[in-house]
Amino acid sequence: MRLFIAIDFHAEFRMKLVALRDELRMESMQGRFTPSENLHLTLAFLGECDDKQLGEAKSAMDRVEFKPFSIHIGRIDRFRRRGGDLWWAGVSENQPLTQLHAELTDNLREAGFQIEKRRFSPHITLGREIVTNASPRLIEKFGQTVESVKLMKSERIAGKMVYTSIYEKSSRSSSLLNQS
Ligand code: 2AM
């Protein structure tokens, strides 16, 4: 199974991302745009895993501790690609998110996963292979609270990418943290 760890979104936040995606679609000549239900923020891509690695991924998630925190979208931008760019909504610089990513990837590396070393650039992919005259731009900020991270299975079913949550690690509220 092909796995990744991601932050999933609340309905209202997702709707705002969909509006951004649709605006970009209107401005584009070509592109494969992310279906609403597939929008997510990847924290770590694990690739093809067996059952043993599935257990190790869950245990790496269990060992991260974080309190609920906020993420905000403030711009859309692109990664240049031959044949059409990948466009994304950018998550603003965010210490709790950076720390969560660092702890999670440290735990995964300890468990033997090969996690890419590139600097974490938190982005939500809105579409791929996009040809457009649109320019990267700042947008009116919107956000949501993050209360958990999810282990996601990625499958291609009838030609479509289907992402299913198979495990969830919740944050701990500060009152719970104070009790321990
Ligand atoms: P992307 O949106 O930047 O392409 C599920 O496929 C998620 O894992 C996507 O968000 C994707 O990031 C990421 N992903 C897919 N293949 C990857 C790879 N080889 N290395 C790193 N991340 C990958």
Side-chain angles (χ1 to χ4, degrees):
M1 68 205 106
R2 194 178 164 88
L3 302 178
F4 62 99
I5 298 171
I7 291 171
D8 200 4
F9 305 132
H10 299 165
E12 198 186 332
F13 187 87
R14 188 178 297 279
M15 266 169 43
K16 290 182 179 166
L17 287 170
V18 165
L20 284 180
R21 179 204 65 186
D22 288 347
E23 199 179 308
L24 181 62
R25 198 203 308 254
M26 295 287 287
E27 297 166 332
S28 302
M29 284 75 87
Q30 177 198 302
R32 293 190 295 116
F33 293 86
T34 310
S36 158
E37 65 276 16
N38 283 4
L39 291 163
H40 64 270
L41 172 58
T42 300
L43 292 176
F45 179 73
L46 307 181
E48 203 55 43
C49 295
D50 57 22
D51 284 342
K52 181 166 175 275
Q53 289 170 309
L54 170 63
E56 284 162 350
K58 288 178 182 174
S59 142
M61 289 169 73
D62 284 341
R63 283 184 283 122
V64 288
E65 292 298 344
F66 62 101
K67 291 190 228 168
F69 63 94
S70 296
I71 52 170
H72 292 96
I73 301 299
R75 66 188 175 120
I76 65 167
D77 207 335
R78 67 190 157 197
F79 295 141
R80 290 287 197 180
R81 297 276 193 276
R82 213 177 295 159
D85 298 336
L86 185 154
W87 277 77
W88 42 267
V91 179
S92 311
E93 193 73 25
N94 179 330
Q95 210 274 331
L97 175 64
T98 306
Q99 185 167 336
L100 172 60
H101 171 265
E103 283 183 21
L104 187 61
T105 51
D106 280 353
N107 291 351
L108 290 164
R109 286 195 186 101
E110 269 171 30
F113 288 97
Q114 306 240 312
I115 304 295
E116 63 175 8
K117 290 250 162 60
R118 268 187 301 182
R119 186 176 179 277
F120 179 45
S121 147
H123 66 275
I124 301 159
T125 298
L126 300 174
R128 299 164 200 277
E129 294 167 29
I130 293 176
V131 177
T132 180
N133 292 324
S135 302
R137 57 181 177 263
L138 298 178
I139 55 163
E140 198 179 330
K141 254 189 164 190
F142 61 94
Q144 75 152 55
T145 308
V146 175
E147 290 106 0
S148 75
V149 294
K150 291 182 176 176
L151 180 59
M152 308 291 292
K153 182 162 77 167
S154 162
E155 296 167 288
R156 185 174 288 279
I157 299 175
K160 291 198 175 123
M161 292 315 294
V162 176
Y163 302 147
T164 316
S165 166
I166 57 172
Y167 191 67
E168 182 167 10
K169 161 71 183 177
S170 293
S171 61
R172 301 172 83 196
S173 68
S174 40
S175 58
L176 275 175
L177 280 179
N178 290 339
Q179 282 165 20
S180 58

